[in-house]
Amino acid sequence: MKCPACENTMTERKVSDIVLDVCDNGCGGIWFDKSEFKKFDEPHEPDADTLLKLNVNKRPTAKAPYSCPRCAPVKLFRHFSSVKRHVSIDSCPKCTGVWLDVGELAGIKQEFSSEAERRAAAETVYSEMFNSEFNTLRAESLDKLRTAQKFAQAFRFISPSYFIPGKQSGGAF
């Protein structure tokens, strides 16, 4: 498989019973197939340390967006790895693989100390972005609920329970 950044031939490296494609003696990039990236992105996952020690001899020659090494000519999407927006990564929209340039894995591992910290940061960002809108929608919903409850109460007063399905014994309902 060819490296999407420097077109070097990538080598396979087995880490924690997972075979990854790395650009050793090239640009130092790493290709993670579907769902493999999640097994290496946190600080407590020690096997990822071997991936931080690749021989880097080339600079990337291709310009972003890179082509997916599995699904070429599909282009990789560049996006932030987390809500902190410190590290951007590339992922394939077709096979959901992830490409990391040299140094990006180390940056990702340093962003959060645990999954709980990652979730807390995401909740903080989302609440800052959407809380005012959610509060407005919640208030509108409560107003509509109160109106519906008033209507239901008035309907209960107007029509006795005898005519409501399930309240009579052997009726037509």
Side-chain angles (χ1 to χ4, degrees), residues 5-146:
C6 70
E7 298 182 2
N8 188 33
T9 300
M10 296 178 66
T11 57
E12 292 183 346
R13 183 168 294 182
K14 190 173 184 177
V15 181
S16 298
D17 298 329
I18 298 172
V19 178
L20 300 173
D21 298 293
V22 297
C23 189
D24 205 7
N25 293 318
C27 67
I30 307 167
W31 176 256
F32 297 90
D33 288 318
K34 182 178 183 174
S35 302
E36 292 176 344
F37 174 64
K38 288 292 177 195
K39 298 174 184 170
F40 296 96
D41 65 340
E42 293 184 16
H44 70 275
E45 297 165 332
D47 294 329
D49 293 339
T50 60
L51 295 173
L52 301 176
K53 300 171 186 164
L54 297 174
N55 295 323
V56 180
N57 295 328
K58 287 184 180 178
R59 297 191 73 104
T61 55
K63 301 260 188 215
Y66 301 133
S67 292
C68 177
R70 294 264 186 238
C71 316
V74 175
K75 297 292 185 188
L76 300 177
F77 288 127
R78 182 163 277 281
H79 57 89
F80 292 109
S81 65
S82 74
V83 294
K84 282 190 173 181
R85 297 181 173 209
H86 293 286
V87 180
S88 56
I89 63 175
D90 301 286
S91 63
C92 178
K94 185 174 180 183
C95 70
T96 66
V98 174
W99 172 258
L100 297 182
D101 291 313
V102 68
E104 290 178 342
L105 182 60
I108 291 168
K109 287 177 69 72
Q110 293 171 357
E111 280 186 309
F112 301 101
S113 61
S114 68
E115 185 63 27
E117 186 181 326
R118 181 188 312 262
R119 285 191 183 127
E123 286 178 20
T124 301
V125 168
Y126 295 141
S127 66
E128 288 172 359
M129 292 171 63
F130 301 113
N131 259 2
S132 63
E133 291 176 34
F134 285 144
N135 289 337
T136 302
L137 291 172
R138 187 178 296 120
E140 289 174 5
S141 293
L142 286 174
D143 286 342
K144 289 179 182 179
L145 175 65
R146 287 186 197 108

